[in-house]
Amino acid sequence: MIFINIKVIEEYGPIILSGLNKTAILTVGGFGMGFAFGSILAFTQCFGGRISSRVATAIEESLRSIPLLVLMLLIFFGLPEVGLSLTPVQSAILAIGLRSMAYQSQILRSAILAIPRGQIEAALSLGMTKAQLFTTVIAPQALRIAIPGLVNQFTIDLKDTSIAYAIGVSELFTEAVHVAQVALDYLTPLVFVGAIYFVITFAASSIMSRVYKRIAIPGLGASQ
Amino acid sequence: MGIVSAFELLAKYHSIFLLGLRNTLILTATAFSIGFALGITIAVLREFGPKPIRHLLAAYVEIIRGTPMLLQLFIVYYALPAIGIVLPPIAAAILGMGLNSGAYQSEYYRAAIRAIPRGQYEAALSLGMTTRQLIEVLAIPMAVRIAFPSMVNELVYLLKYSSIAYFLTVIELTYAGKIVGAETFQYLEVYTIIAIIYFALSMAIVRFCKFVESRIRVPGLGAPEATRGLI
Amino acid sequence: MSGEILRVDNLWKSYSETPVLRGVSFEVLRGEVKVIMGPSGSGKSTLLRCINLLVRPDKGRISLEGKEVFPKPYDSIHRIRQKIGFVFQSYNLFLHMTVLDNVRVGLIKVKKLSKEEATKRAMEALRIVGIGPELWNKYPAQLSGGQQQRVAIARAIAMEPTIMLMDEPTSALDPELVGEVLNVIRDLAKQKMTMLIVTHELDFALEVADEIMVLDGGKIVERGKPSEILNNPKHPRTRRFIERLRRRVEHGHR
Ligand SMILES: Nc1ncnc2c1ncn2[C@@H]1O[C@H](COP(=O)(O)OP(=O)(O)OP(=O)(O)O)[C@@H](O)[C@H]1O
Ligand SMILES: [Mg+2]
């Protein structure tokens, strides 16, 4: 492309790439937190008492209807008012994690609900306890069903780490914008980071779909 | 924080909140409409169009889905001037969001077009319809009905992602919050109010669309919803 | 007025090396009703689909009213299809349209009639198949199978085709609904509508058909007057096939 300036990449490429580090921390931290708490939320909704499952649903639904940016600003600028000051990176991870939690909870919940009732009855009729039922039947099946949805959420979390630009986290996108402002060329750094995001999301999807095939069991899978 | 101070904030700064609300709704509605037109076009061309165009559009969809929306808005706003296209912030935001939504929406309509039973196409052909007529009479109207739940999800998605216009200094809800916050330093109250407004808007959109759906529903026609998460 | 409406000459069709039609030839004259029978997989549907070019034959010749349709169509395919009414086993009514719109849409979009003219003709066609106004604004899913198939027939005859092709029009129906559809087809036969029908309704064929053709393994193995074919089949495979159909009818399922 004629508008891409190779010189800018040569000169500033390493600076932009230095943001990869923070992007990785936000993605892995946010997604990981989302998975840990999302599992608990989904479990509560499926197996918890009436009140606790209602509360879990309310948490999930309200977090899903708030923009990530608002959540991040609320945490970073708002929480100090009640004496809770988090660094930009911590705030970003928390925001991404909370939002990811809400979506992963939904993904895991529908995966659990997709397990045929007969599976559970069969396990119980073998005399399994609830805990045994969960670890040997429900979790292995639900995780397999949920994988495509979880991978997708992972790529969404990755792409949305760019929103941490708002609170000054020096991740990929922020670095690219800073370079753009210095080099007085927006297109080149933006296309450059765009390519990086694209490669990572693409790689994540293809690796995960390979994993998915590897652990796939005939007759059990998500209709994607 | 106090409920009282939240109400005071709302009362004192209602005009800026209202401006933000207005722009949020404009962003969401117009971006959705652009995305709808673009999405239908892409879907139809990818299903019925010539090979080279199919590949080209597939690449477009993959690129949009593989990169952040924020980056796309920045390219439209900051990079297009380099080739002589200068847009005001709100127009750039609408265009960027529309281009983004078009790629996602095209996937919903494509899945819907594929879900139309084969016999429907055969019946249309056997009446002597051309491909054009078949698209107009059968593929588009049916795809829209089948994809309706996904369209509702997309609308709610765009409502939330319209907050990203904040970065182009468009005074939508989130940016309005920033302005009020900077003046009062009551960030917690301000952003809580903003969050509640988004929540209420999401609920309202979902309710409204349920109503619309009950109006346009056709017995025997329906499909599971897809979201940006699960296509 | 007599004359040849449809002529099929030495028609061949294979699906990935497997021959499905192996040199089928026959003709249908104006006002004739011809019935095709044959075991499952013998190529009956493929034959009908080849005639209105939903499926492209490999070899042979098809002509309509003396004009070549395949291999060198005398006109664009969609204009040729307008002259060939097609009734599907599974009705295939447009699910998102009301009964009236289903019958009108071809007239408005394809034949470019005015809405009033199209509506008038659609109502006339619906009257012929016995679908009353109380059903005109219903959607297909709200109708019984027999009603849906009658609407599908109305949709086809509203286009005023020169020939109707019907692919097992009653085999998806519950037994108690078969009669109403056969009655409609019987009426069409009385009006001298030219028809080529795949069906295994023996009594109906005996009454309505001018000729029965038995397809087996992609070939017409036997053809003749209905009474001959049904009462005195020559081919041993045809005899077994007809006997099987008889037994099924006696045991009350189809
Ligand atoms: N699109 C296709 N691709 C591959 N094979 C096909 C296709 N359509 C039909 N066939 C095969 O061609 C053969 C004839 O099919 P056809 O549907 O014409 O039979 P039929 O006589 O109508 O049978 P039935 O009584 O079951 O409707 C079958 O073996 C079928 O599997
Ligand atoms: Mg058949």
Side-chain angles (χ1 to χ4, degrees):
Chain A
M1 254 202 286
I2 36 170
F3 303 108
I4 301 293
N5 189 346
I6 298 291
K7 283 223 180 69
V8 172
I9 295 178
E10 278 170 0
E11 193 176 343
Y12 297 103
I15 298 181
I16 296 177
L17 284 175
S18 72
L20 208 47
N21 186 20
K22 293 267 168 58
T23 296
I25 293 172
L26 298 194
T27 309
V28 173
F31 182 80
M33 181 184 148
F35 183 73
F37 291 105
S39 309
I40 296 172
L41 223 50
F43 186 85
T44 312
Q45 288 182 72
C46 292
F47 305 108
R50 233 189 45 180
I51 294 176
S52 54
S53 80
R54 284 261 175 89
V55 172
T57 305
I59 293 173
E60 182 193 302
E61 282 184 0
S62 44
L63 279 173
R64 276 198 292 143
S65 56
I66 299 169
L68 177 60
L69 176 60
V70 173
L71 210 54
M72 216 179 267
L73 296 172
L74 182 64
I75 290 170
F76 184 67
F77 291 109
L79 288 189
E81 275 181 45
V82 288
L84 192 62
S85 290
L86 298 179
T87 66
V89 170
Q90 289 166 343
S91 306
I93 292 177
L94 183 58
I96 294 170
L98 284 174
R99 202 221 12 192
S100 194
M101 167 186 86
Y103 279 98
Q104 292 193 54
S105 154
Q106 187 196 24
I107 293 164
L108 291 167
R109 178 162 43 90
S110 36
I112 292 173
L113 295 178
I115 298 172
R117 183 93 213 128
Q119 299 282 311
I120 294 164
E121 283 164 1
L124 291 176
S125 74
L126 285 178
M128 285 190 189
T129 63
K130 274 209 167 172
Q132 288 167 332
L133 166 72
F134 185 77
T135 52
T136 60
V137 178
I138 292 174
Q141 292 200 22
L143 274 180
R144 282 187 171 81
I145 296 173
I147 282 179
L150 294 178
V151 175
N152 211 299
Q153 187 57 42
F154 180 83
T155 62
I156 290 174
D157 289 345
L158 165 68
K159 286 180 281 176
D160 282 350
T161 55
S162 55
I163 290 175
Y165 171 54
I167 55 175
V169 177
S170 49
E171 42 68 59
L172 268 180
F173 182 74
T174 308
E175 292 296 344
V177 174
H178 288 164
V179 165
Q181 287 160 348
V182 173
L184 298 177
D185 171 9
Y186 271 91
L187 194 61
T188 306
L190 289 177
V191 169
F192 183 66
V193 278
I196 298 174
Y197 282 112
F198 186 81
V199 168
I200 305 175
T201 49
F202 190 81
S205 309
S206 20
I207 291 171
M208 286 294 206
S209 73
R210 207 164 292 169
V211 172
Y212 187 57
K213 283 203 189 95
R214 170 93 33 100
I215 65 164
I217 295 174
L220 184 71
S223 50
Q224 218 184 330
Chain B
M1 76 169 161
I3 303 254
V4 178
S5 66
F7 276 116
E8 278 168 6
L9 271 177
L10 260 182
K12 186 157 177 223
Y13 294 97
H14 69 274
S15 58
I16 187 119
F17 280 119
L18 279 177
L19 176 65
L21 179 65
R22 186 179 140 249
N23 280 336
T24 290
L25 293 177
I26 289 175
L27 284 166
T28 308
T30 48
F32 182 82
S33 310
I34 293 173
F36 177 77
L38 187 62
I40 291 276
T41 310
I42 293 176
V44 165
L45 285 173
R46 279 187 77 184
E47 290 303 307
F48 299 100
K51 261 250 165 69
I53 290 186
R54 287 184 200 200
H55 290 310
L56 208 69
L57 291 174
Y60 172 77
V61 171
E62 285 313 310
I63 288 172
I64 293 287
R65 298 209 305 160
T67 53
M69 191 200 260
L70 178 55
L71 179 108
Q72 292 153 16
L73 293 204
F74 265 57
I75 288 187
V76 171
Y77 185 60
Y78 288 109
L80 284 192
I83 55 169
I85 303 175
V86 183
L87 294 173
I90 190 160
I94 288 170
L95 181 60
M97 287 169 65
L99 291 173
N100 176 285
S101 185
Y104 283 93
Q105 288 195 49
S106 77
E107 292 292 281
Y108 309 148
Y109 305 131
R110 219 154 65 88
I113 288 173
R114 290 179 167 203
I116 299 172
R118 218 183 118 82
Q120 299 281 304
Y121 289 117
E122 291 184 341
L125 289 175
S126 75
L127 284 178
M129 286 191 195
T130 60
T131 307
R132 236 195 134 87
Q133 289 166 341
L134 176 146
I135 290 168
E136 177 196 333
V137 173
L138 188 68
I140 294 177
M142 261 196 160
V144 170
R145 283 187 175 80
I146 294 175
F148 193 83
S150 313
M151 293 164 69
V152 179
N153 282 331
E154 180 66 15
L155 197 55
V156 175
Y157 245 96
L158 284 179
L159 170 71
K160 288 182 284 173
Y161 274 90
S162 68
S163 62
I164 287 181
Y166 167 100
F167 291 96
L168 304 189
T169 68
V170 178
I171 304 177
E172 43 64 68
L173 267 176
T174 309
Y175 200 88
K178 176 189 171 150
I179 294 174
V180 177
E183 243 176 69
T184 60
F185 291 103
Q186 291 180 287
Y187 283 104
L188 191 60
E189 290 84 347
V190 170
Y191 284 124
T192 304
I193 290 171
I194 299 288
I196 291 170
I197 297 176
Y198 278 110
F199 180 78
L201 285 175
S202 303
M203 293 293 145
I205 288 177
V206 171
R207 283 277 155 78
F208 176 71
C209 291
K210 285 248 160 68
F211 169 75
V212 172
E213 193 183 17
S214 72
R215 278 302 169 89
I216 68 163
R217 180 167 17 233
V218 166
L221 239 194
E225 59 191 297
T227 67
R228 284 185 170 222
L230 297 165
I231 292 164
Chain C
M1 208 167 69
S2 71
E4 187 181 276
I5 295 289
L6 176 71
R7 174 165 211 95
V8 173
D9 270 326
N10 193 27
L11 200 69
W12 288 75
K13 172 70 191 175
S14 308
Y15 283 116
S16 53
E17 307 292 296
T18 318
V20 174
L21 296 179
R22 301 187 298 164
V24 174
S25 305
F26 64 93
E27 67 298 306
V28 183
L29 305 184
R30 188 179 300 279
E32 266 190 332
V33 176
K34 293 215 169 173
V35 161
I36 301 176
M37 292 184 175
S40 180
S42 56
K44 306 177 297 290
S45 298
T46 306
L47 175 58
L48 291 199
R49 280 154 191 272
C50 280
I51 293 169
N52 82 341
L53 302 167
L54 280 178
V55 167
R56 202 186 144 77
D58 298 332
K59 212 174 84 182
R61 197 168 170 279
I62 301 171
S63 52
L64 194 66
E65 297 182 292
K67 288 175 284 187
E68 187 164 310
V69 165
F70 179 85
K72 287 201 191 63
Y74 69 92
D75 199 347
S76 68
I77 290 176
H78 58 270
R79 264 201 290 276
I80 292 172
R81 286 194 187 121
Q82 290 177 35
K83 301 187 170 238
I84 306 175
F86 203 103
V87 175
F88 298 86
Q89 182 174 353
S90 49
Y91 342 124
N92 292 349
L93 291 179
F94 300 125
L95 299 169
H96 63 305
M97 292 182 193
T98 61
V99 164
L100 189 58
D101 282 336
N102 259 284
V103 181
R104 267 195 308 206
V105 66
L107 300 171
I108 294 172
K109 294 290 173 177
V110 177
K111 291 214 152 173
K112 313 280 187 207
L113 297 188
S114 72
K115 196 165 177 190
E116 296 77 54
E117 179 63 21
T119 308
K120 220 176 80 194
R121 277 219 223 165
M123 289 175 174
E124 172 66 13
L126 285 165
R127 200 188 53 72
I128 290 173
V129 300
I131 296 289
E134 71 282 1
L135 296 177
W136 291 354
N137 286 320
K138 295 238 187 275
Y139 288 97
Q142 297 169 308
L143 304 184
S144 74
Q147 290 168 332
Q148 289 192 55
Q149 192 61 296
R150 285 188 283 145
V151 174
I153 293 173
R155 177 173 68 177
I157 60 175
M159 300 289 285
E160 299 182 332
T162 49
I163 184 170
M164 290 274 278
L165 311 181
M166 304 195 180
D167 190 1
E168 307 203 37
T170 58
S171 66
L173 297 174
D174 292 336
E176 69 272 18
L177 301 176
V178 168
E180 60 185 71
V181 173
L182 291 182
N183 282 338
V184 167
I185 302 175
R186 221 174 253 127
D187 286 347
L188 293 180
K190 280 194 200 116
Q191 307 294 318
K192 287 291 162 206
M193 170 72 80
T194 312
M195 292 187 278
L196 178 61
I197 307 173
V198 174
T199 182
H200 293 139
E201 296 292 337
L202 299 180
D203 294 337
F204 170 79
L206 193 61
E207 181 195 335
V208 170
D210 294 296
E211 186 182 46
I212 292 181
M213 301 183 278
V214 180
L215 203 61
D216 195 356
K219 278 188 174 152
I220 295 179
V221 292
E222 193 159 351
R223 56 190 287 185
K225 287 253 164 293
S227 54
E228 282 167 33
I229 301 283
L230 297 181
N231 299 327
N232 193 15
K234 294 186 185 54
H235 210 276
R237 279 180 65 94
T238 312
R239 188 171 308 146
R240 274 202 302 276
F241 171 67
I242 305 272
E243 271 167 21
R244 259 207 323 275
L245 287 180
R246 283 243 158 77
R247 267 203 303 277
R248 265 201 287 175
V249 174
E250 277 157 23
H251 287 85
H253 46 85
R254 34 181 50 86

